[in-house]
Amino acid sequence: ESTLCVIAALVSCWRGCSIGRLGEGELLMTRDETILLVEDNPDDELLTRLALKKSHVCNEVVVPRDGAEALDYLFGTGTYNGRDSAAMPQVILLDLDLPKIDGLEVLKRIRSDERTKRLPTVILTSSEDQQDLVESYGLGANGYVRKPLDLDQFRAAVGQLGLYWMVLNEIS
């Protein structure tokens, strides 16, 4: 893990991130980009935040609690009226089972709007329905990760997602 941390930190430096120290030998990577975590379950939110932090991905995480709020954030409407809608998140981690507007409908709306259609969107869900996986990719999801029931597996999966989308992935 420490080798991965150093490699990620070096890539992070190269890509214009700032590096700080958490403690002895631990590096903290920060970037200006935001992670949009669309999650209605406070426990899953906490686990996701902890997993990102453990992987030294310390970007701002904005957490809409339902599909309607996620769309409001992205398009600067409703609760987020006046938010600079040109400032898009670096990645969206999208649950499927959401109140008001479900995750598949949110993904459909993201992909149908010129301003958001290229936003990296990863489904992060506990759904084991194969149809959800097929529909997600059919609607343009960039990835699909099932939330593992095991806490260590969940932390590892989210940490790897964070490192890839926030540090290693190149965007246009």
Side-chain angles (χ1 to χ4, degrees):
E1 180 181 26
S2 62
T3 303
L4 179 60
C5 177
V6 170
I7 291 169
L10 289 172
V11 170
S12 174
C13 251
W14 176 67
R15 298 231 10 235
C17 302
S18 57
I19 304 283
R21 292 241 176 236
L22 284 174
E24 190 172 321
E26 291 188 339
L27 297 173
L28 171 71
M29 295 178 290
T30 59
R31 293 183 66 180
D32 293 336
E33 288 90 356
T34 299
I35 297 170
L36 188 65
L37 172 62
V38 188
E39 177 61 69
D40 63 318
N41 183 321
D43 293 333
D44 286 350
E45 175 198 347
L46 179 61
L47 289 174
T48 303
R49 285 179 181 274
L50 291 172
L52 289 168
K53 185 174 180 180
K54 183 175 169 102
S55 295
H56 309 286
V57 176
C58 298
N59 299 66
E60 177 187 8
V61 178
V62 175
V63 186
R65 298 279 178 207
D66 59 59
E69 187 181 349
L71 293 170
D72 282 346
Y73 177 84
L74 289 169
F75 300 115
T77 58
T79 308
Y80 295 95
N81 191 25
R83 185 189 84 77
D84 179 7
S85 59
M88 290 293 175
Q90 176 80 5
V91 66
I92 300 170
L93 302 178
L94 179 63
D95 190 15
L96 291 181
D97 187 22
L98 295 169
K100 296 185 181 177
I101 300 174
D102 72 40
L104 290 173
E105 181 61 28
V106 171
L107 180 59
K108 188 183 297 181
R109 292 188 193 180
I110 288 170
R111 292 300 183 242
S112 68
D113 192 283
E114 191 63 37
R115 298 168 291 177
T116 56
K117 71 180 184 182
R118 289 184 187 84
L119 278 177
T121 304
V122 177
I123 304 302
L124 183 60
T125 186
S126 54
S127 172
E128 295 189 17
D129 186 350
Q130 186 68 18
Q131 187 60 33
D132 284 342
L133 178 120
V134 171
E135 281 188 59
S136 294
Y137 279 119
L139 291 171
N142 297 95
Y144 190 99
V145 177
R146 285 196 177 98
K147 297 175 189 172
L149 298 179
D150 177 80
L151 183 60
D152 289 333
Q153 288 179 340
F154 183 79
R155 284 183 182 154
V158 171
Q160 290 171 1
L161 274 174
L163 284 174
Y164 176 76
W165 288 106
M166 299 310 293
V167 178
L168 301 174
N169 186 53
E170 296 283 335
I171 59 170
S172 60

